[in-house]
Amino acid sequence: MQFVMPDLGPVMPEISLAVLALFILLADLFIKRKETIALMSIISVGVAAYLLPGSMGATFNGMYISDGYSAFFKFIFIANVILTVLISVKYIEIEKVNFGEYYCLILFATLGMMLMASAGDLIVLYLGLELMALSAYVLAGFIRYDRKSNEAAMKYFLLGAFASAFLLYGISMIYGLTGTTDIMAISDYIVKHGLASNPVLMLSMILFAVAFSFKIAAVPFHMWAPDVYEGAPTSVTAFMSVGPKAAGFAVIGRVFMVAFGSVQVEWAAILIPIAILTMGVGNIVALSQTNIKRMLAYSSIAHAGYMLLGIIAGAQDGMASVLSYMLIYGFMNIGAFAVVIMLRSEGFKGDNISDYEGLAKTHPAAAALMLIFMFSLTGIPPTAGFMAKFYIFLSAINAGYTWLVIIAVMFSAISAYFYLRIVMYMYMKEPKETVRLSTSPALALALAITAAAVLIIGVLPSAVVNFARIALGY
Amino acid sequence: MEFINSHLLSLITFVPLLGALLVLALPGTREDIIRWSALVITCIPLLLSLLLFAGFDRSFAGMQFIERYAWIRDFNINVFMGVDGLSMPMALLCSLICPICVLASWNIERGVKGYFFLFLLLEAGMLGVFTALDFFLFFVFWEVMLLPMYFLIGIWGGPRREYAALKFFLYTLIGSVMMLLVIIYFYLASTPHTFDMIELARTNSLFDYRMLCWFGLFIGFAIKVPIFPFHTWLPDAHVEAPTAISVILAGVLLKMGAYGILRINYTMLPDITMRMAAFMAALGVINIIYGALCAMAQKDLKKLVAYSSISHMGYVILGMASFTDEGLNGAIFQMFNHGIVTAMLFLLVGVIYDRAHHRDIDSFGGIASVMPNYAFVTFLAFFAALGLPGLNSFISEALVFLGAFQKYRILTAIAASGVIITAAYCLWTLQRVFLGKLNEKYSLLPDLTVRETVSLVPLCIIVVVLGVYPHPVLNLMKQTVSLLNRIITGAGI
């Protein structure tokens, strides 16, 4: 038997990222200034980003696919890493957990996400998912002397393990049914043997939906999200609210659109109730939150619901709208968390909504930035959040799900209440105590990038929409 | 000059937007510079819209001063603007009211920079709504105007400002998301997909679910007008808002609802509009009577004016629902007149509130003897509000009744009784505030200042001139109205 060296071209970004992350792990032993580690991790994803455009193609017998679709998601992951690192530098110092491993774990989690986005085979998908999840569990518990952080890690781990088990069940069933774990081959098999109403296929699709719903925090598999978002270090919360969610959508898109592409009617019936529940619970429970991290957790649950609409709508337009939404959501959500991080200073937690009272008087710039992100999350023009929602709704109505969009816009109108409450606290209440902001050049840069992205995409969304359409090859 | 003439509408709309950014760049401590520059900036659209007024072809029913630039090519969205006889009076009204409101805001002390920044943003939004011909652009302006309004009420408003601002925002947002759904549906139903309002009106027969769409749009606009039972945000918002913002709310914002119904429901779903005519007329009559009765019961002067707005907007709805040239002309003219008159009323309420620090009607008395000029202007404004012949509102209300009576005899008869209630509350208010024994507490109130006079005199002149010679405004809309009427009645047959 002859061993043929596979084409490593398509995997080059991931290989380089893995090598550099390991190198950083070693270098951490000798480098005292952790800012250097932060810079090195930005450089390492920069290298991956540089290699990305030249890496198109499939390799390892189609187990690994690097195409426009995966490249779009990898772009989101890389942007997510850069922004997360920028908002972390000062923050983890304040939390007294300024260790180099923090950045390495973020890089490994991202590597896992990149594998997921490119998975052409369910086994690769599972490997990527586990790499991402294990790194994220550790990150959630990174403030090890803090009970809430520990609780977050534990909860995330236990529930995450369940979700992985569901995924494995799903994979094994589909393997039992079709005899393959290759996504393209599964698709061919389902079409060729007319398995449309096969109960085992249905069951395995339900199991996939459960596992992925957990990753994107969709109701009723969202229970972990508020506790983990609240307990985890805020920078990690920002990272988790975008990265794993995007990775979850990447695999939902790949598995449901490609492997189960011929039975869309069946899986849409599974995803529709999930989407409605997700939008409903996310938006309604967010109304009563007093902690901003929990509120943003419920808000991110709700946003997953909107994005599911795009998946349900299916077709190229539906996917393009999900891609655009994900990118825009990443900018506005990390931006909002960056402001939350700013309020955390030595001896002051600053994660209660009441801490925002009168912020506009004491720190007008911070309040103005939060205002932009809150309006964008609400989806009010001319911010990017509006364009994102507009495109999702457009493609869902185009696919004939008008009634679903009616439900979505109603929940979206409800969401205005809790986003605006933050704005109201900042601008219309008197400051109670003087809140000290902890700023750093890195944090300022992250805020500048996210705010500029939210405003520019809001006015000129063509670039993002085109990017998504090109990524999907039309 | 050539450039100005060919870009009039975009200049009118975007100059306040650029001005807002300019104000943002000014140092916050130089408050006088900010005030003066806001005044100058708001005068530019006024001057430009006078150019528009001069150059407007009154014998042409369609769109004029058209401008079109590509914006988001992926969805075929354009910056597409134009005015016709329907939007021209509204744009004129808006650009006229804004400088007056800047004058009325002169005594804002807190956060001057933020205030004028938001104010100019608001003006851009309002002018944009009246000039946009792309449905998407229309929606964006519609929403853009929401944000500054929320803050202007919520930060600079009265004691219950937070509640009022949030209520205003949520009401309008719920209306506008329904509108958004219909906009997307229209876009997808048209081939090729387009947001062009002219094109959508032309090919409206392609749309299904017409009744549903009609109601989606109608409720969105009815909240803004406001039409009973969607009016409950209005008294709160008006009472809590600072004077200038009440003026904008009543003078311009309410008109956007009626404008939306005329521009969109009427042209894009004419058959349904025709079928809903009696329904709309009935709502209009309820507005007239209910608003007037509520106004009569108020003790707070500002709340009284707020409810009178509801009543006066009822005439607009009744006139619109008549589908006669007289009724439609009357409705649009009434929109213009109400904008002028209610602006005066709110300014006058603001004047007395600045001096007495309350608005309780019953605790004034005999003010006419200490503030004769103020009393004169207030009498004029209230007489205009009650439709005294010789003043502008008389003509528009008479036209509305003339048009409506041809279609709905009983409803119009009921509506006419609203005129009596209106007269009753107006005269009763004047009597309680200005006549009778002078309340000694107020014997030293100063009369109108120069600034107040400057902001009120132009409105007084308009009230009188249009009352005697309404043609400058009526001529603007005549052709468009009869075209609109032909579209509706043609579709109904």
Side-chain angles (χ1 to χ4, degrees):
Chain A
M1 192 173 154
Q2 208 175 3
F3 182 76
V4 183
M5 185 69 183
D7 176 19
L8 290 182
V11 217
M12 272 325 277
E14 285 77 9
I15 291 178
S16 68
L17 184 59
V19 170
L20 286 169
L22 290 169
F23 172 74
I24 292 172
L25 197 58
L26 273 181
D28 177 46
L29 295 174
F30 311 104
I31 295 175
K32 281 280 168 297
R33 280 181 59 87
K34 300 305 167 195
E35 287 85 349
T36 319
I37 304 289
L39 187 64
M40 284 165 76
S41 50
I42 288 180
I43 292 169
S44 60
V45 287
V47 172
Y50 175 75
L51 293 170
L52 197 53
S55 69
M56 295 299 143
T59 184
F60 294 108
N61 295 322
M63 288 180 96
Y64 199 88
I65 305 163
S66 181
D67 53 6
Y69 177 77
S70 68
F72 190 94
F73 276 103
K74 287 174 193 171
F75 176 77
I76 295 177
F77 302 146
I78 287 164
N80 184 30
V81 170
I82 293 173
L83 292 171
T84 307
V85 168
L86 287 176
I87 64 175
S88 299
V89 176
K90 177 88 183 263
Y91 174 76
I92 58 172
E93 206 174 292
I94 293 171
E95 294 284 5
K96 302 191 182 60
V97 285
N98 196 1
F99 305 116
E101 288 85 355
Y102 174 87
Y103 298 107
C104 297
L105 284 166
I106 284 182
L107 292 181
F108 284 127
T110 303
L111 184 61
M113 295 172 203
M114 290 168 81
L115 285 176
M116 285 165 81
S118 279
D121 189 288
L122 294 175
I123 300 298
V124 177
L125 189 159
Y126 180 75
L127 280 176
L129 187 134
E130 283 300 286
L131 178 56
M132 171 190 86
L134 287 169
S135 314
Y137 302 149
V138 183
L139 280 171
F142 210 75
I143 314 180
R144 58 176 182 234
Y145 56 82
D146 183 52
R147 279 173 166 247
K148 273 198 170 166
S149 184
N150 284 324
E151 182 197 332
M154 201 62 184
K155 216 169 221 167
Y156 196 19
F157 170 68
L158 285 175
L159 292 172
F162 269 110
S164 298
F166 275 111
L167 181 59
L168 282 177
Y169 268 129
I171 293 174
S172 57
M173 282 205 184
I174 206 77
Y175 181 73
L177 188 68
T178 63
T180 177
T181 52
D182 186 282
I183 288 174
M184 284 309 290
I186 293 170
S187 165
D188 292 343
Y189 191 92
I190 291 173
V191 174
K192 205 190 286 170
H193 293 79
L195 293 182
S197 51
N198 187 302
V200 180
L201 179 68
M202 195 68 191
L203 191 60
S204 75
M205 284 196 298
I206 291 174
L207 291 168
F208 276 112
V210 170
F212 296 153
S213 293
F214 178 86
K215 286 296 158 207
I216 62 169
V219 181
F221 311 102
H222 69 291
M223 299 297 184
W224 59 276
D227 290 338
V228 174
Y229 278 33
E230 187 191 354
T234 310
S235 53
V236 174
T237 311
F239 177 74
M240 284 197 311
S241 70
V242 177
K245 206 180 276 275
F249 274 100
V251 293
I252 288 178
R254 189 79 83 181
V255 171
F256 284 93
M257 290 288 176
V258 180
F260 305 140
S262 55
V263 287
Q264 187 176 1
V265 183
E266 272 80 9
W267 58 254
I270 304 171
L271 291 186
I272 286 171
I274 293 180
I276 294 173
L277 276 174
T278 306
M279 291 185 291
V281 172
N283 283 317
I284 290 169
V285 182
L287 293 174
S288 63
Q289 299 306 314
T290 53
N291 179 297
I292 190 148
K293 282 164 82 177
R294 281 186 91 85
M295 190 208 92
L296 287 171
Y298 281 106
S299 124
S300 83
I301 291 171
H303 282 278
Y306 302 133
M307 283 184 259
L308 278 176
L309 288 190
I311 301 274
I312 292 164
Q316 281 179 320
D317 229 23
M319 274 325 285
S321 69
V322 174
L323 261 54
S324 319
Y325 200 110
M326 198 66 235
L327 181 65
I328 290 167
Y329 164 82
F331 283 119
M332 60 193 182
N333 219 39
I334 294 188
F337 275 112
V339 179
V340 175
I341 279 185
M342 248 168 122
L343 260 70
R344 172 82 169 100
S345 55
E346 215 73 59
F348 183 70
K349 269 208 125 28
D351 60 357
N352 274 320
I353 290 181
S354 60
D355 294 333
Y356 287 77
E357 282 180 9
L359 194 69
K361 296 221 170 53
T362 49
H363 302 286
L369 287 164
M370 193 63 166
L371 168 99
I372 293 172
F373 300 127
M374 288 297 125
F375 278 139
S376 184
L377 285 165
T378 319
I380 290 170
T383 57
F386 169 69
M387 283 314 302
K389 272 198 183 135
F390 172 76
Y391 196 10
I392 286 265
F393 293 162
L394 185 78
S395 58
I397 292 180
N398 202 12
Y401 291 102
T402 310
W403 62 277
L404 208 51
V405 175
I406 291 175
I407 295 173
V409 294
M410 284 304 139
F411 283 128
S412 167
I414 290 174
S415 76
Y417 180 82
F418 60 83
Y419 292 125
L420 273 185
R421 194 160 54 129
I422 307 284
V423 174
M424 194 190 82
Y425 272 59
M426 292 191 303
Y427 281 88
M428 296 169 202
K429 296 224 186 254
E430 291 302 314
K432 268 197 311 221
E433 49 192 319
T434 39
V435 174
R436 221 152 39 83
L437 290 190
S438 44
T439 47
S440 64
L443 187 62
L445 180 61
L447 280 167
I449 294 170
T450 48
V454 164
L455 290 177
I456 292 171
I457 297 172
V459 180
L460 301 166
S462 287
V464 171
V465 173
N466 279 328
F467 184 20
R469 288 183 175 177
I470 290 165
L472 292 166
Y474 79 105
Chain B
M1 205 57 207
E2 186 59 32
F3 175 82
I4 290 176
N5 274 329
S6 57
H7 296 79
L8 257 180
L9 287 178
S10 45
L11 282 172
I12 287 179
T13 309
F14 292 110
V15 160
L17 192 66
L18 293 177
L21 298 177
L22 178 78
V23 164
L24 206 58
L26 290 173
T29 46
R30 306 295 304 273
E31 295 179 350
D32 266 334
I33 295 184
I34 293 174
R35 290 191 184 106
W36 279 105
S37 42
L39 185 62
V40 171
I41 291 162
T42 49
C43 282
I44 298 172
L46 176 59
L47 293 175
L48 291 172
S49 61
L50 289 177
L51 278 181
L52 205 64
F53 182 73
F56 190 80
D57 181 357
R58 284 145 178 85
S59 60
F60 181 63
M63 286 296 164
Q64 307 185 28
F65 299 101
I66 289 177
E67 288 177 50
R68 189 199 293 264
Y69 316 99
W71 178 18
I72 306 170
R73 286 174 204 277
D74 312 86
F75 302 116
N76 192 13
I77 295 170
N78 298 295
V79 175
F80 179 27
M81 304 167 122
V83 284
D84 62 358
L86 181 52
S87 41
M88 181 64 212
M90 295 301 113
L92 200 60
L93 175 71
C94 179
S95 53
L96 174 72
I97 296 283
C98 283
I100 290 172
C101 287
V102 171
L103 283 177
S105 316
W106 216 259
N107 52 3
I108 296 274
E109 298 289 343
R110 201 157 47 90
V112 176
K113 183 164 138 180
Y115 180 91
F116 284 107
F117 166 70
L118 291 167
F119 184 88
L120 291 168
L121 206 60
L122 180 67
E123 185 179 9
M126 294 187 301
L127 287 166
V129 166
F130 290 129
T131 53
L133 288 181
D134 184 287
F135 214 164
F136 187 89
L137 186 70
F138 175 88
F139 182 79
V140 168
F141 279 126
W142 183 275
E143 293 275 282
V144 160
M145 171 211 76
L146 197 55
L147 305 180
M149 208 58 191
Y150 170 72
F151 287 108
L152 288 168
I153 297 174
I155 300 179
W156 288 272
R160 287 168 69 238
R161 54 179 181 265
E162 289 150 29
Y163 170 77
L166 195 63
K167 195 167 175 182
F168 166 79
F169 193 96
L170 291 180
Y171 262 72
T172 317
L173 189 66
I174 287 169
S176 56
V177 293
M178 282 196 253
M179 187 172 31
L180 177 65
L181 283 176
V182 181
I183 293 176
I184 294 178
Y185 172 71
F186 280 1
Y187 169 76
L188 292 170
S190 58
T191 42
H193 297 337
T194 181
F195 286 105
D196 181 336
M197 299 204 315
I198 312 275
E199 190 62 24
L200 289 174
R202 210 172 55 74
T203 57
N204 70 72
S205 55
L206 294 171
F207 308 146
D208 298 321
Y209 313 107
R210 302 176 78 85
M211 189 60 95
L212 211 60
C213 290
W214 193 87
F215 269 99
L217 292 167
F218 183 75
I219 292 173
F221 295 131
I223 289 171
K224 206 79 173 189
V225 171
I227 295 175
F228 178 90
F230 303 111
H231 67 284
T232 57
W233 62 269
L234 181 130
D236 286 309
H238 274 68
V239 170
E240 299 307 322
T243 300
I245 303 310
S246 300
V247 173
I248 292 272
L249 259 175
V252 186
L253 247 71
L254 304 191
K255 312 302 171 294
M256 288 172 30
Y259 171 78
I261 295 176
L262 285 170
R263 168 72 71 221
I264 291 161
N265 287 45
Y266 273 48
T267 61
M268 293 183 199
L269 298 162
D271 50 334
I272 308 292
T273 311
M274 195 68 192
R275 275 164 62 188
M276 302 311 287
F279 170 72
M280 280 166 54
L283 284 177
V285 173
I286 293 174
N287 254 39
I288 295 174
I289 304 289
Y290 175 83
L293 286 174
C294 284
M296 183 118 90
Q298 296 310 316
K299 289 192 165 25
D300 182 326
L301 193 55
K302 205 170 182 185
K303 221 165 186 170
L304 180 139
V305 178
Y307 275 109
S308 83
S309 283
I310 297 182
S311 176
H312 284 121
M313 288 309 284
Y315 295 104
V316 175
I317 306 297
L318 180 65
M320 278 161 55
S322 72
F323 304 118
T324 52
D325 279 5
E326 294 89 344
L328 278 167
N329 271 317
I332 301 169
F333 193 35
Q334 168 76 357
M335 278 156 72
F336 186 85
N337 288 339
H338 175 250
I340 302 290
V341 173
T342 203
M344 278 178 82
L345 289 174
F346 274 114
L347 287 171
L348 291 162
V349 172
V351 167
I352 194 82
Y353 183 72
D354 283 345
R355 288 164 174 68
H357 305 292
H358 74 85
R359 297 181 298 251
D360 184 13
I361 299 172
D362 289 324
S363 57
F364 293 111
I367 300 287
S369 58
V370 285
M371 300 170 72
N373 294 343
Y374 176 71
F376 172 76
V377 180
T378 314
F379 270 77
L380 184 68
F382 270 104
F383 283 147
L386 64 82
L388 191 76
L391 300 176
N392 58 354
S393 293
F394 169 73
I395 293 172
S396 53
E397 285 175 21
L399 281 171
V400 165
F401 284 134
L402 210 59
F405 192 68
Q406 300 171 24
K407 294 283 169 71
Y408 318 104
R409 308 234 152 172
I410 299 167
L411 279 176
T412 312
I414 300 170
S417 71
V419 176
I420 300 167
I421 309 172
T422 308
Y425 73 72
C426 287
L427 294 174
W428 192 32
T429 309
L430 288 174
Q431 185 198 337
R432 281 183 290 173
V433 174
F434 291 100
L435 307 177
K437 206 166 94 44
L438 176 65
N439 185 340
E440 284 309 316
K441 246 191 343 190
Y442 303 119
S443 58
L444 291 173
L445 289 187
D447 209 343
L448 293 177
T449 65
V450 174
R451 177 175 61 79
E452 287 157 355
T453 314
V454 169
S455 63
L456 285 165
V457 164
L459 298 175
C460 293
I461 294 173
I462 293 172
V463 165
V464 176
V465 168
L466 289 183
V468 184
Y469 185 68
H471 293 92
V473 178
L474 282 177
N475 280 347
L476 285 178
M477 59 183 87
K478 217 160 81 192
Q479 294 300 325
T480 308
V481 163
S482 68
L483 176 71
L484 191 65
N485 205 13
R486 282 202 301 277
I487 293 173
I488 307 275
T489 44
I493 296 163

